[in-house]
Amino acid sequence: MTSFTACYAGHAEECPEVPAEKERPYLPGMGYHGGTLAKGRCMAHVDDQRVTRVLDALEAQHPGAQLLVNDPWSIYYLTGFYADMFERFCGVLLERGSEPVILVNALHQLPEYDNTRVAYHTDTDVVTDAIAREVDPSKPLGIDTVMRSGFLMPLMDRHAASEFFLGDFAVTAARTHKDAAEQELMRASSAANDAVMADAIKLVHEGVTEREIADQMLGLYRKHDCEGFSFPPIVSFGANAGDPHHEPDDTVLKRGDVVLFDIGGRHRNYCSDMTRTFFWGEPDEETARIYDIVRRANEAAEALIAPGVRMCDLDRAARDVIEDAGYGKYFTHRLGHSIGLQDHEPGDVSLVNEQVVEPGMTFSIEPGIYLPGRTGVRIEDLALVTETGVEILNGYPHDPVCLD
């Protein structure tokens, strides 16, 4: 069983018992956008601006529809409440002109909200009945991609809505554009990741294994005010760096190896993600050459980022550098992915994505060259699109560094 404790953001001046933002402890996986002072206590608060953005996106394609949000991180984005439901149901029902409704199992007792109704059901209730009581059967219902078929199909069988359609594009559209508070959290998360990288390279020494370093990474993130990882750390020596998603094993570091770190943490639930490639001893001529190619590819793409530029053009800018150098077939993935509350969010930087870059977007730029069985190099930063260009969230340098 998971317990939850309120953690408030904003309006602290209205509630003296809640400490100021900088002093307030953060509880990972917990917390509520909060609140106003009512009857002598703080109340939780659903973010009205985020709800409006979601409904604007929904109604642009499905006028008059309602939306049932099930993705746990999207629920958190809107309400401040996060929990892994396992086999139980949780959702947020949104409809223009009506207050949001949080449908949740009574196992999870939420605080009172000042602008939202909480509708509880129990383990012995028929969940479909609980959902159908809240849904307007005369209107279309947008469904989240992650909604389990065991909940969805009974709703369809009983015609709980006039029609059903995939509607989580509306939440994706809102989450893609980080608001000012989210941008600050993304900056802080990446700053912590820079500091962790600086500490992580101090763990590298002759005879150490990848696993021995990876096993110490969680402590570094907690040292730098992160709750944990945004993904399991990748530590790759030598030929293992030729596998883009190598998992740390008992490979022992030896002279002449590259040392690749692909790492990220969660700071107040917002993710960081950065890759740097180092050398243990002087690299051979080809490894040094591909490092320079990857660095130039990274910087070519980052220099192009600005509102109005297409995602596919960013990928092309980096890929051209690598292809022109003769290594195109060894760059085996897209250039980047969107990031925020999750390390990989919908949306990517790829040759097939013609979406234009817009202010508030955050995504990775991570070109790489991978020579299977020999070596590999990747350099990754996170980019935050501004009104006039881009802010690279990582300050850790791209210069080639020998760690010995």
Side-chain angles (χ1 to χ4, degrees), residues 275-347:
T275 307
R276 291 294 184 268
T277 306
F278 305 96
F279 307 118
W280 186 252
E282 288 296 322
D284 61 47
E285 182 178 342
E286 184 172 36
T287 301
R289 182 167 63 252
I290 66 173
Y291 186 97
D292 182 66
I293 295 166
V294 171
R295 179 188 57 78
R296 289 189 288 110
N298 172 285
E299 293 170 2
E302 290 181 353
L304 190 61
I305 300 171
V309 176
R310 297 183 304 173
M311 293 290 190
C312 56
D313 295 328
L314 300 179
D315 188 296
R316 175 48 62 196
R319 202 168 298 274
D320 280 349
V321 173
I322 294 174
E323 289 179 349
D324 290 348
Y327 287 91
K329 70 178 183 179
Y330 299 108
F331 180 15
T332 55
H333 55 76
R334 64 192 177 186
L335 181 62
H337 57 84
S338 297
I339 186 170
L341 285 169
Q342 294 167 280
D343 181 53
H344 284 229
E345 297 193 333

Side-chain angles (χ1 to χ4, degrees), residues 80-359:
F81 167 71
Y82 181 89
D84 289 315
M85 286 292 123
F86 302 103
E87 74 278 10
R88 295 182 172 91
F89 180 84
C90 183
V92 180
L93 183 65
L94 302 178
E95 181 183 355
R96 184 77 77 189
S98 300
E99 66 177 353
V101 180
I102 302 174
L103 298 97
V104 65
N105 191 287
L107 172 71
H108 304 284
Q109 290 294 307
L110 276 61
E112 186 176 356
Y113 281 77
D114 61 6
N115 62 344
T116 297
R117 181 164 57 86
V118 179
Y120 291 105
H121 56 271
T122 71
D123 285 343
T124 57
D125 290 332
V126 177
V127 174
T128 304
D129 290 345
I131 300 171
R133 279 195 295 270
E134 305 297 337
V135 173
D136 187 336
S138 69
K139 295 182 178 181
L141 179 65
I143 292 298
D144 208 316
T145 302
V146 303
M147 187 173 184
R148 291 174 57 188
S149 60
F151 297 132
L152 174 58
M153 295 185 71
L155 286 176
M156 298 176 72
D157 288 342
R158 66 188 293 168
H159 304 289
S162 63
E163 65 174 294
F164 295 83
F165 62 92
L166 282 177
D168 54 355
F169 68 88
V171 187
T172 296
R175 285 178 56 182
T176 295
H177 299 84
K178 274 54 179 182
D179 59 32
E182 291 179 291
Q183 291 179 28
E184 283 302 312
L185 291 171
M186 291 297 295
R187 290 186 183 99
S189 189
S190 283
N193 211 25
D194 284 347
V196 170
M197 185 70 79
D199 282 350
I201 62 173
K202 298 173 185 176
L203 302 176
V204 179
H205 60 83
E206 197 85 28
V208 73
T209 69
E210 295 169 343
R211 197 190 312 275
E212 287 170 343
I213 292 178
D215 285 348
Q216 299 178 70
M217 297 297 296
L218 183 58
L220 297 183
Y221 278 102
R222 289 180 173 163
K223 170 186 172 183
H224 292 288
D225 197 27
C226 292
E227 301 92 62
F229 299 134
S230 54
F231 59 93
I234 297 173
V235 182
S236 305
F237 297 160
N240 290 341
D243 174 3
H245 278 181
H246 171 72
E247 296 183 6
D249 59 23
D250 294 322
T251 298
V252 176
L253 180 66
K254 64 182 185 300
R255 188 156 298 278
D257 280 348
V258 299
V259 179
L260 186 150
F261 284 94
D262 186 347
I263 58 175
R266 285 188 174 277
H267 172 76
R268 296 190 63 189
N269 276 331
Y270 279 79
C271 295
S272 60
D273 189 353
M274 174 174 56
T275 307
R276 291 294 184 268
T277 306
F278 305 96
F279 307 118
W280 186 252
E282 288 296 322
D284 61 47
E285 182 178 342
E286 184 172 36
T287 301
R289 182 167 63 252
I290 66 173
Y291 186 97
D292 182 66
I293 295 166
V294 171
R295 179 188 57 78
R296 289 189 288 110
N298 172 285
E299 293 170 2
E302 290 181 353
L304 190 61
I305 300 171
V309 176
R310 297 183 304 173
M311 293 290 190
C312 56
D313 295 328
L314 300 179
D315 188 296
R316 175 48 62 196
R319 202 168 298 274
D320 280 349
V321 173
I322 294 174
E323 289 179 349
D324 290 348
Y327 287 91
K329 70 178 183 179
Y330 299 108
F331 180 15
T332 55
H333 55 76
R334 64 192 177 186
L335 181 62
H337 57 84
S338 297
I339 186 170
L341 285 169
Q342 294 167 280
D343 181 53
H344 284 229
E345 297 193 333
D348 64 10
V349 187
S350 69
L351 289 177
V352 297
N353 186 1
E354 296 185 353
Q355 181 181 19
V356 298
V357 171
E358 297 176 348

Side-chain angles (χ1 to χ4, degrees), residues 56-67:
D56 286 347
L58 180 72
E59 294 196 340
Q61 296 189 35
H62 296 272
Q66 51 199 329
L67 177 65

